[in-house]
Amino acid sequence: MNASGCASPGCACRDRKPAYPSDLADAAWLVLEREARGVMIELVAVAGRPMVHDLRAMLDAINYVTRYGIEWRALPVDFPPHQAVYAFFLRWSRRGLPERLAGRLRGRLRILAGRAELPTAGCVDSQTVRAAETVGAAACGYDAGKKLKGQKRHIVVDTLGLLLCVIVTAASVQDRDGAHPVLALLREKFSTIRLVWADGGYAGRLQAWAGQVLGLAVTIVRRSDDLRGFVVLPRRWVVERTFAWLVRYRRLVRIYERRPDHHEALIWWAAVHQMTRRLTRELAGRPPASRWSAPPPLPDLTSSDRRGKVLQLLAAQPWRAWKGAELAAILGIENVNSFRVQLSQWSHQGHINKIGPALYGPMPTST
């Protein structure tokens, strides 16, 4: 036993202080520690040698690898040895620790949101990810639609976007074929779910099979042919947002694992990390952290006329896409529509040479 309390020679994991953005804060660790130790007691195979390294340091090391996409052997020296961290990852991922942890955290998040602990509806979708050279050819495939060679992640989320099930297959597997095992896994784990939303790629025989065999109603949310550009589709945006949450973790941007179950475990660890921070924020009553800093304060408008004030605003923040309603609120103008017409006239006359593209946005509806 060294001075830090760790039985591994040269390891000071028990004296480690959080130093990276991926590390769990003290409040987040208070939320996760009880859940993690409870699940580990449930999943222990046989009584044996107690864990040598600090549990918090182990989880922070896995979060570091998942968040920043480094190799296991490239872990910073203030973490436990990379061999021990990787062995912990393999052993407890095989036993289902991250999946059970995510289930506990998901239930608490749903209760705080005013929902039942177990979901009754979900949304299924897939995402094709390029595979690195470390992935064997037998586990890869070519997605002709996305024109990518790699693997495909099939996930099911609840109405809050929290992960329920995940399966990794070759990219050549069609969405309908990949949905069969993931929906069967969903039925096995959640007997309360009755409805699943999906896109047009899941239409056809999958709906009949899911209804007859699994008792799931698969509802297809189609995109209209008349729509152009990006349009938020009902229900489907929830699972797309979950994919956006996952690819914030750089280890998930590309697939490096030789075995699909290892990549599934990394997805569950990323979900645990994200749910822990979200639950900590919800319990503290804090709003979500903004990704961008607040805009700088507005300058003092010294001009006496309206056009001069607008010119001062445009010169102070030329990078900002000003809206007519925003300028009207700053200048104290009540009739926004007539002010937009005046801005358009100034622009055509050459008095204003830079107006944001959102100037001619939708008119406010009268109530």
Side-chain angles (χ1 to χ4, degrees), residues 39 48 65 67 72 80 98 103 148-149 177 198 265-266 278 308 325-326 334:
V39 174
V65 172
R67 186 74 177 183
W72 291 99
L148 286 177
K149 181 181 180 181
D177 299 332
L266 284 174
R278 181 172 176 176
E326 293 176 344
E334 297 182 357

Side-chain angles (χ1 to χ4, degrees), residues 27-93:
W29 175 241
L30 290 177
V31 172
L32 184 62
E33 181 182 15
R34 186 182 63 177
E35 305 291 349
R37 296 194 184 278
V39 174
M40 292 175 72
I41 292 175
E42 294 175 359
L43 297 177
V44 65
V46 292
R49 180 188 179 189
M51 187 173 174
V52 173
H53 298 282
D54 183 58
L55 177 60
R56 181 176 182 179
M58 282 290 190
L59 297 182
D60 283 341
I62 295 177
N63 291 338
Y64 189 92
V65 172
T66 309
R67 186 74 177 183
Y68 303 118
I70 65 168
E71 299 177 355
W72 291 99
R73 66 181 63 191
L75 276 170
V77 295
D78 56 338
F79 287 116
H82 69 88
Q83 301 93 335
V85 177
Y86 185 65
F88 177 90
F89 166 79
L90 290 182
R91 179 171 61 254
W92 289 104
S93 298

Side-chain angles (χ1 to χ4, degrees), residues 123-125 155 157 161 235-244:
C123 187
V124 62
D125 203 351
I155 69 170
V157 301
R235 302 296 182 180
R236 281 174 51 183
W237 67 269
V238 177
V239 67
E240 298 293 346
R241 182 184 60 176
T242 303
F243 282 131

Side-chain angles (χ1 to χ4, degrees), residues 38-366:
V39 174
M40 292 175 72
I41 292 175
E42 294 175 359
L43 297 177
V44 65
V46 292
R49 180 188 179 189
M51 187 173 174
V52 173
H53 298 282
D54 183 58
L55 177 60
R56 181 176 182 179
M58 282 290 190
L59 297 182
D60 283 341
I62 295 177
N63 291 338
Y64 189 92
V65 172
T66 309
R67 186 74 177 183
Y68 303 118
I70 65 168
E71 299 177 355
W72 291 99
R73 66 181 63 191
L75 276 170
V77 295
D78 56 338
F79 287 116
H82 69 88
Q83 301 93 335
V85 177
Y86 185 65
F88 177 90
F89 166 79
L90 290 182
R91 179 171 61 254
W92 289 104
S93 298
R94 192 181 301 115
R95 298 179 186 179
L97 172 64
E99 185 174 355
R100 290 209 181 188
L101 264 180
R104 290 194 175 196
L105 298 172
R106 179 178 57 244
R108 295 182 63 181
L109 283 170
R110 289 183 57 85
I111 291 176
L112 286 177
R115 310 292 183 90
E117 182 177 0
L118 295 177
T120 58
C123 187
V124 62
D125 203 351
S126 65
Q127 182 185 41
T128 303
V129 185
R130 192 185 303 274
E133 72 281 357
T134 56
V135 184
C140 286
Y142 183 75
D143 188 345
K146 302 296 178 61
K147 294 181 173 57
L148 286 177
K149 181 181 180 181
Q151 293 181 339
K152 186 176 289 187
R153 299 192 282 242
H154 306 266
I155 69 170
V156 183
V157 301
D158 65 356
T159 53
L160 297 179
L162 305 177
L163 190 63
L164 298 177
C165 293
V166 57
I167 286 181
V168 176
T169 64
S172 56
V173 177
Q174 296 294 326
D175 290 351
R176 285 189 298 268
D177 299 332
H180 280 78
V182 74
L183 290 182
L185 182 63
L186 179 70
R187 167 55 67 222
E188 178 185 350
K189 295 183 177 297
F190 301 95
S191 60
T192 56
I193 290 188
R194 294 289 180 267
L195 176 62
V196 176
W197 291 285
D199 60 18
Y202 296 89
R205 62 180 183 274
L206 176 67
Q207 293 178 274
W209 175 83
Q212 297 172 2
V213 178
L214 303 179
L216 290 175
V218 179
T219 302
I220 304 300
V221 181
R222 299 184 183 276
R223 175 185 172 91
S224 176
D225 296 336
D226 300 332
L227 300 178
R228 294 185 179 274
F230 174 76
V231 179
V232 178
L233 298 177
R235 302 296 182 180
R236 281 174 51 183
W237 67 269
V238 177
V239 67
E240 298 293 346
R241 182 184 60 176
T242 303
F243 282 131
W245 289 342
L246 291 178
V247 295
R248 288 185 181 179
Y249 295 81
R250 295 188 178 183
R251 187 75 179 206
L252 305 181
V253 173
R254 181 172 292 190
I255 296 181
Y256 298 94
E257 285 67 41
R258 293 180 174 88
R259 294 177 50 176
D261 57 330
H262 289 178
H263 187 71
E264 294 172 8
L266 284 174
I267 294 175
W268 281 115
W269 282 113
V272 167
H273 188 234
Q274 186 262 333
M275 290 184 193
T276 301
R277 291 192 167 188
R278 181 172 176 176
L279 180 58
T280 306
R281 185 177 66 245
E282 294 288 342
L283 293 175
R286 292 184 284 105
S290 177
R291 295 188 61 189
W292 313 106
S293 58
L298 297 176
D300 296 331
L301 304 179
T302 58
S303 179
S304 58
D305 61 329
R306 183 181 298 175
R307 189 183 69 188
K309 294 180 179 179
V310 173
L311 289 174
Q312 288 180 349
L313 287 175
L314 295 177
Q317 300 181 9
W319 46 266
R320 185 170 178 178
W322 288 98
K323 295 182 180 180
E326 293 176 344
L327 294 175
I330 294 173
L331 300 179
I333 300 172
E334 297 182 357
N335 195 337
V336 180
N337 296 335
S338 63
F339 180 61
R340 282 177 172 169
V341 174
Q342 191 174 31
L343 287 175
S344 178
Q345 293 175 353
W346 290 343
S347 178
H348 291 303
Q349 293 171 3
H351 300 295
I352 297 177
N353 56 9
K354 182 175 177 57
I355 298 181
L359 176 62
Y360 305 102
M363 297 293 182
T365 58
S366 58

